[in-house]
Amino acid sequence: MLQVVFRILGPLEISAGGQPVVLTGARRRTIMSMLLLAPDRVVSVEALADAVWHGNPPSTARNQIAICVSSLRKAFKEAAGVEDVVVTSHPGYMLFSGEHRIDAVEFEERVAVGRAAARSGRAEEACGHFEEALAMWRGPALEGVSAGRVEAEAARLTGMRLDVYEEYMGLRLELGQHREVMGELAAFVREHPLREQAKAHLMLAQYRSGRRAEALETYREGWRILADELGIEPGPALQEMHEEILADSPRLGPPAEPAAPALTAAVPAHLPSGVASFTGRHPELAALDRLLDHLDGPALPVGSISGIGGVGKTALAVHWAHQVAGRFPDGQLFADLRGYDEEAPHRPGAVLDRFLRALGVPGSEIPPDLGERSALFRTVLGGRRVLIVLDNARSFQQIRPLLPGTGRCCVLVTSRDPMGGALAGDYACVALHLDALGQDEAIALLTRVDGDGRLSADPVATARLSALCDRLPLALRIAAARLTAKPHWSVRTLVARLEDQRRRLDELSPDERGVRAGLRLSYRDLPNATARMFRLLGSVNVPDFAAWVGAALLGIDPFDAEDLIEELVDAQLLIPSSSATGHVRYRFQGLPRLFARELSLAQDPEEERRGALRRAAGAWLALASAAHRRVYGGDFTLVHGPAPLHELPDHLVDSLLENPMEWFDSERGSITGLVDQLAREGEAAHAWDLALTSVTLFQNRDYLEDWRYCADRALSAARRAGDRLGEAAMLHSLGTLEIVGWAYDAALGHLADALRLFEETGQDTGRALVLRNLALCERHRGDLHAARNLAHRSLELFRRTGDRYAEAHVLGLLAQIELERGRPQASLVLSSEAVARSRGLGTARGEAQSSVRLAEVLIHQGDGERAEEVCRRALELVRATGDRRGETHALRTLGEALWRQDRTAQAEEVLEEALTAAADVPDRFLEARAGTVLGCVRALRGDRDSAADCFKIAADLFAEVGVESWRDRTTRLLDLLSRSGPLDTDELFGLVRP
């Protein structure tokens, strides 16, 4: 997944991975602009329509907005591999910013940091932030998007830009830069003649530069413009500036030069030099500034910076310390406590000895006792304003004797372990956990170290280099230094070397200070069990995981596993996060994962690693099977193999699977990664069984790419292993996937091979599943007789094997076939039986599917009222389980039921919902079906133009998925519309019913 960058401070520009994302069409650009102006907030469909059609939206607005949003999602998925940038949220849509970037948001954040610096008296720093913020502007906000609502919000942003510019100029005047800003201000005033604050700044700059007459002329010109254009006089601020210039007020003189501080031997200045490539960290610097608010307060201000080795803790601490050193005229003390070095940590007593000597205490007066030495340190600091930086601390016990007793001082501590808990309550504490740099900050760091232009010339490779370094400052500096040392390398040369996982740590560990050395220091002190957990977790190819995975890997109790994993979190080797299920999940960064795998290969015997992988795969498979049973009411529609399960405690399973589909969703990335690893490492039985069981997720949530990926990987593994049952299962799975995608010819090829293999292995459930799918293919090809025979053969086998869910599904299929054969009464009996059997199993998905079949029969027989009742029950079921595809089917059928009761206004509203739901899935065929019925309803309501739009859009969608028979129907519907006279509702319905 690539990060998407949105730029609206100028013409609308969108990019992903350095490549532009082109949005064609004014409507799509307007909708995108509206969403970008309200990130992470819902924008109603009504507001979007008002913006697109300038306050006069057509009746088809909701439908057309949904289509535009669908195309936006498609553009982001193709460009960046992301599906959740634009999300549906009642009563409209929302742009979910997540990890993506919006320049307007960053502008406001940078301005806020600048204003905080200005309030703290750090004018130079504030100017730097304002310069960065103003540099983001490329022209008028959202230039070229002509929509009243967009233009109004763009004007607000422009007003903010002008305000910030005036604040920036005011700060530069405070810094005595009146000559430098005079020309720039004059140009700004000419462009914005009504901005009185800018005019006052220009007058002050002119006066301080010895141009008193020009300053007075600036005032007279401003007075004339205000009088002529607005009929008003200048405001109080401008008038006061005029009067003070006339009186040569001493208050207008330039700021005095700061006096040089008196140097004494007892004023230490221990801070090491800052890192030249230091980049970003603006929120963290602003947070540390809060320590200054507590100076002279009742509690000692103490800042704590924690994070993994190489993340830049020391660089941040030193950078901030240099920024605020002027606030501590009595000195700055610095000590590297070596808490995690190979050598022994520095003892507090030795550090106190050095600090006391630096503060002017003779060595002969320093007591040997640690307690007395600490008391003397507090006494010497009494009344002094000193900044103390304690770097690389191991524990609170190590730093406690080094803490002053006065709030006039300030302490900043860096450590791999968080100290906020020990500091909270007794101190005015600001605790920061330092994460990796943001993408832009990481790239900026790279370019500062290697400034020869190679990085900026290849932004795609540079972004990849940043990711391979985990955006850790240490790794980034090493990578950039390698490029500097190799001027004949391109960025892609280094990227290719880092892409090789076996070489990456070597490339980033050129000496004892490299990435591997830092990770080894974190790993070195882990207890044996925790270290083993670290190694085995790193050997599993999943993006994230829950604590039960660790329990399966080590074969231990889940609570014990959670304790070990939390120790890894404390050691900064794992990153915790919450999930939709409420259970904590954990993940590695790339470099610690590689280090863990490296250690596991070196220290853990192969059989132990393979056994751990099998236990973990067995746990995933056991949970996936249990989740499937809870969704389907039993272990139905599945073919299992000989792969052993690893059962977890019942109470844990119940907690994890409280919502089975939410659990599946949370494990989606882990399942695909694990199937790939199992296939690569020859564990075919676990690979194909987990891939097949996970179709519960892939089909319900429309994750068709994951479905195909897992099935392809597992099929290859089964064939290499000679596992004919696994091969048959995966061919059946791929055949089902092709049916979902309307590729019936491809499906027939997979299914024919699967049927032969299932017959060879004597697997009746597999045979029945394949026969059912072959019946679907024959129905699509129009051979209803063959479809009926295949479905009956399938039904007999399902009844023999006891698969009641699949039996109900085939009954529904037979009901559909009989309806299309012109036997509605037989269809009614079969669909009613399917509903009853599904309800008896307690499977909401099955009952909803069968209910929609039953409703279609009832509509065909003219019983729209009862069909409506059945559809509303189906809607309740699918909405309770989050089945968006099922919701689309139910809404479309409900719309037809309402239509057949002549309740066309309600039908139109429901069908618009169906269209939105289909676009959200997304499913082009369902979208086209809903659009076709919606077109009929609108035609009957007299809106033939809108109906024609619906039919044309549906025709394109049917053509896109290759369903020509339905595309032909839209052609006939358009022909009906073109005729004069009233429309025949029965004739229309005959063209849209199944």
Side-chain angles (χ1 to χ4, degrees):
M1 182 186 80
L2 297 176
Q3 184 186 55
V4 182
V5 179
F6 299 95
R7 294 184 175 89
I8 65 175
L9 301 181
L12 174 62
E13 290 183 2
I14 305 173
S15 61
Q19 298 300 311
V21 179
V22 180
L23 297 185
T24 56
R27 291 178 185 176
R28 290 206 298 171
R29 292 175 67 81
T30 298
I31 291 171
M32 192 73 253
S33 299
M34 288 286 288
L35 296 174
L36 283 168
L37 289 168
D40 300 311
R41 302 198 304 274
V42 177
V43 182
S44 70
V45 172
E46 287 72 16
L48 294 173
D50 182 75
V52 169
W53 285 282
H54 306 285
N56 187 29
S59 59
T60 60
R62 184 176 294 274
N63 184 14
Q64 293 188 54
I65 294 292
I67 292 169
C68 285
V69 169
S70 178
S71 66
L72 288 173
R73 289 172 174 152
K74 182 179 180 181
F76 292 128
K77 184 174 182 181
E78 290 175 351
V82 294
E83 300 177 353
D84 62 347
V85 175
V86 180
V87 298
T88 302
S89 183
H90 183 76
Y93 301 94
M94 179 178 74
L95 184 131
F96 174 63
S97 58
E99 296 296 320
H100 309 299
R101 294 177 46 219
I102 304 171
D103 62 353
V105 173
E106 294 180 355
F107 170 74
E108 295 194 37
E109 290 174 348
R110 202 67 54 86
V111 168
V113 174
R115 285 172 174 163
R119 286 193 299 270
S120 299
R122 305 191 309 278
E124 287 189 17
E125 180 191 341
C127 281
H129 293 306
F130 285 152
E131 285 175 8
E132 293 174 3
L134 291 166
M136 296 179 186
W137 285 78
R138 299 168 289 110
L142 289 168
E143 185 178 15
V145 179
S146 57
R149 285 176 177 254
V150 173
E151 290 169 349
E153 187 62 19
R156 182 192 71 82
L157 286 171
T158 299
M160 183 183 298
R161 174 192 186 186
L162 299 179
D163 290 342
V164 171
Y165 181 81
E166 289 176 340
E167 292 178 52
Y168 171 55
M169 288 292 110
L171 287 171
R172 293 189 66 182
L173 288 169
E174 286 182 20
L175 294 169
Q177 298 175 11
H178 39 275
R179 296 185 185 277
E180 292 90 335
V181 304
M182 188 166 53
E184 188 177 341
L185 271 170
F188 182 84
V189 167
R190 283 194 299 272
E191 186 178 354
H192 306 282
L194 302 180
R195 300 288 299 193
E196 295 191 37
Q197 183 61 68
K199 204 174 295 289
H201 286 334
L202 175 58
M203 291 169 63
L204 179 60
Q206 291 169 328
Y207 177 81
R208 286 182 178 175
S209 301
R211 300 183 179 184
R212 183 171 182 267
E214 289 183 21
L216 294 172
E217 178 58 31
T218 297
Y219 175 78
R220 284 192 292 271
E221 177 65 14
W223 186 92
R224 184 190 62 77
I225 291 173
L226 290 169
D228 290 349
E229 296 193 14
L230 301 178
I232 60 175
E233 293 186 353
L238 202 56
Q239 291 190 33
E240 183 178 344
M241 179 64 69
H242 177 239
E243 292 166 2
E244 290 188 333
I245 290 174
L246 288 173
D248 286 321
S249 170
R251 199 172 67 84
L252 300 182
E257 292 293 328
L263 299 177
T264 68
V267 180
H270 286 182
L271 293 178
S273 61
V275 177
S277 59
F278 183 86
T279 305
R281 301 297 193 195
H282 302 295
E284 291 83 359
L285 290 166
L288 291 175
D289 284 345
R290 296 202 303 269
L291 290 169
L292 304 177
D293 298 335
H294 297 285
L295 290 175
D296 299 318
L300 174 70
V302 181
S304 167
I305 305 173
S306 63
I308 191 172
V311 79
K313 301 182 294 295
T314 301
L316 173 62
V318 171
H319 186 83
W320 182 80
H322 277 293
Q323 281 189 343
V324 301
R327 299 287 297 273
F328 299 92
D330 296 315
Q332 306 91 42
L333 298 169
F334 179 91
D336 179 359
L337 301 181
R338 296 184 178 178
Y340 293 87
D341 285 8
E342 297 285 356
E343 305 172 13
H346 276 161
R347 292 175 291 106
V351 176
L352 282 171
D353 180 82
R354 184 162 64 86
F355 281 179
L356 287 167
R357 291 174 187 270
L359 291 166
V361 178
S364 59
E365 297 181 15
I366 298 175
D369 179 74
L370 176 62
E372 292 179 4
R373 193 172 288 186
S374 180
L376 177 61
F377 181 58
R378 292 193 295 273
T379 300
V380 171
L381 289 177
R384 297 195 189 188
R385 194 178 293 284
V386 175
L387 173 63
I388 303 166
V389 180
L390 303 174
D391 188 37
N392 199 17
R394 183 55 184 263
S395 64
F396 178 68
Q397 287 69 31
Q398 187 185 20
I399 69 167
R400 188 170 189 173
L402 307 175
L403 299 179
T406 170
R408 290 184 60 78
C409 294
C410 180
V411 178
L412 183 57
V413 184
T414 75
S415 175
R416 298 194 180 193
D417 296 323
M419 291 195 182
L423 295 168
D426 294 332
Y427 304 92
C429 176
V430 172
L432 295 179
H433 176 77
L434 208 57
D435 290 318
L437 292 170
Q439 179 76 321
D440 282 358
E441 293 175 335
I443 292 173
L445 190 154
L446 286 168
T447 54
R448 285 187 180 183
V449 177
D450 180 61
D452 63 4
R454 279 177 290 176
L455 291 155
S456 56
D458 194 345
V460 174
T462 302
R464 182 58 183 154
L465 177 61
S466 164
L468 290 169
C469 293
D470 282 352
R471 302 199 304 273
L472 288 176
L474 173 62
L476 291 165
R477 282 195 291 271
I478 292 171
R482 296 217 61 190
L483 282 175
T484 301
K486 299 285 185 180
H488 53 287
W489 280 10
S490 69
V491 182
R492 292 175 186 262
T493 302
L494 181 55
V495 166
R497 297 172 74 92
L498 295 181
E499 290 277 14
D500 185 345
Q501 295 188 3
R502 296 167 299 177
R503 299 180 57 91
R504 192 180 311 165
L505 283 173
D506 291 335
E507 297 285 343
L508 297 175
S509 304
D511 54 36
E512 69 280 358
R513 295 171 298 171
V515 171
R516 183 183 280 113
L519 291 169
R520 186 178 294 113
L521 291 174
S522 295
Y523 174 78
R524 180 190 60 188
D525 295 327
L526 294 177
N528 289 337
T530 311
R532 182 167 177 251
M533 177 69 82
F534 174 68
R535 297 193 304 270
L536 292 178
L537 283 172
S539 69
V540 182
N541 181 37
V542 295
D544 57 10
F545 48 86
W548 59 263
V549 176
L553 284 169
L554 270 63
I556 61 177
D557 180 82
F559 286 118
D560 293 337
E562 186 174 45
D563 289 342
L564 297 178
I565 289 173
E566 285 295 331
E567 289 182 26
L568 294 174
V569 172
D570 293 341
Q572 311 294 326
L573 293 170
L574 284 179
I575 300 172
S577 62
S578 60
S579 75
T581 62
H583 291 269
V584 178
R585 298 185 69 80
Y586 305 88
R587 65 178 177 86
F588 281 99
Q589 288 184 289
L591 296 172
R593 181 193 295 278
L594 291 177
F595 183 63
R597 288 179 182 172
E598 183 180 274
L599 291 172
S600 185
L601 287 170
Q603 298 181 27
D604 299 320
E606 181 181 357
E607 192 52 41
E608 183 177 340
R609 283 186 281 110
R610 189 168 288 275
L613 177 62
R614 287 172 181 159
R615 285 193 299 273
W620 257 294
L621 180 55
L623 284 168
S625 299
H628 175 93
R629 285 193 293 272
R630 294 180 187 221
V631 172
Y632 286 90
D635 200 8
F636 302 131
T637 73
L638 289 181
V639 176
H640 286 301
L645 305 181
H646 183 86
E647 301 288 356
L648 297 170
D650 290 343
H651 68 86
L652 177 58
V653 173
D654 288 339
S655 175
L656 290 169
L657 302 184
E658 183 176 356
N659 185 319
M661 291 310 302
E662 277 190 2
W663 177 84
F664 262 127
D665 255 332
S666 69
E667 297 294 340
R668 172 189 169 194
S670 297
I671 287 171
T672 54
L674 185 63
V675 168
D676 174 63
Q677 181 178 8
L678 292 166
R680 282 188 288 104
E681 299 194 14
E683 300 292 340
H686 273 116
W688 72 255
D689 206 338
L690 182 58
L692 187 62
T693 307
S694 298
V695 170
T696 311
L697 166 69
F698 302 146
Q699 187 165 17
N700 283 12
R701 293 290 193 262
D702 213 54
Y703 297 141
L704 305 187
E705 293 179 6
D706 291 342
W707 185 349
R708 186 178 300 280
Y709 178 79
C710 288
D712 282 339
R713 300 293 293 125
L715 175 62
S716 298
R719 283 173 169 166
R720 287 195 302 270
D723 185 341
R724 299 178 74 76
L725 178 60
E727 183 179 356
M730 290 300 92
L731 286 168
H732 151 66
S733 182
L734 285 167
T736 307
L737 175 58
E738 300 296 3
I739 290 172
V740 171
W742 302 93
Y744 286 94
D745 291 340
L748 284 169
H750 289 313
L751 294 172
D753 290 341
L755 183 61
R756 173 179 52 80
L757 289 168
F758 277 134
E759 287 173 344
E760 289 178 9
T761 56
Q763 230 294 339
D764 283 348
T765 297
R767 288 174 58 208
L769 290 167
V770 173
L771 289 169
R772 180 197 65 184
N773 284 348
L774 288 170
L776 286 168
C777 291
E778 294 298 342
R779 172 179 167 251
H780 173 77
R781 296 170 66 182
D783 191 343
L784 297 178
H785 179 73
R788 181 176 180 274
N789 288 340
L790 286 164
H792 275 294
R793 289 174 59 193
S794 172
L795 184 63
E796 291 173 7
L797 283 171
F798 281 133
R799 283 174 172 163
R800 184 189 308 169
T801 59
D803 193 332
R804 291 172 292 160
Y805 179 90
E807 180 184 349
H809 187 272
V810 175
L811 286 169
L813 172 60
L814 281 167
Q816 192 76 37
I817 293 170
E818 295 295 359
L819 181 62
E820 293 171 10
R821 291 180 71 212
R823 301 181 62 202
Q825 191 58 40
S827 179
L828 181 64
V829 171
L830 288 164
S831 55
S832 298
E833 184 180 356
V835 171
R837 289 181 179 273
S838 298
R839 188 173 296 160
L841 289 171
T843 165
R845 177 178 170 82
E847 184 182 346
Q849 289 177 336
S850 300
S851 295
V852 170
R853 303 274 195 195
L854 175 59
E856 288 177 339
V857 180
L858 292 169
I859 293 168
H860 185 278
Q861 292 191 320
D863 193 349
E865 187 174 342
R866 188 175 167 212
E868 178 188 354
E869 180 184 336
V870 173
C871 283
R872 294 198 184 279
R873 167 63 180 164
L875 266 180
E876 290 177 11
L877 293 168
V878 293
R879 283 174 170 166
T881 59
D883 181 0
R884 195 68 164 152
R885 181 188 293 276
E887 184 179 359
T888 304
H889 280 293
L891 285 168
R892 190 258 307 160
T893 311
L894 175 59
E896 293 178 2
L898 293 167
W899 167 15
R900 300 304 281 170
Q901 296 177 68
D902 295 324
R903 292 155 61 188
T904 52
Q906 292 172 270
E908 182 176 12
E909 185 177 343
V910 167
L911 290 165
E912 286 174 348
E913 280 191 72
L915 198 65
T916 301
D920 287 344
V921 170
D923 188 309
R924 295 286 186 264
F925 180 75
L926 291 183
E927 190 176 343
R929 283 290 309 276
T932 305
V933 182
L934 178 61
C936 290
V937 170
R938 286 180 173 166
L940 290 170
R941 302 195 71 209
D943 191 350
R944 294 201 181 200
D945 289 342
S946 176
D949 287 342
C950 287
F951 294 150
K952 289 172 184 176
I953 293 169
D956 290 342
L957 292 172
F958 284 134
E960 187 178 331
V961 297
V963 187
E964 289 301 320
S965 60
W966 276 95
R967 189 175 187 277
D968 291 342
R969 295 191 190 201
T970 59
T971 302
R972 292 159 65 189
L973 286 165
L974 284 166
D975 182 59
L976 286 177
L977 279 186
S978 66
R979 301 175 190 173
S980 59
L983 294 167
D984 186 328
T985 186
D986 290 332
E987 189 174 6
L988 289 174
F989 186 70
L991 288 173
V992 298
R993 73 184 184 192

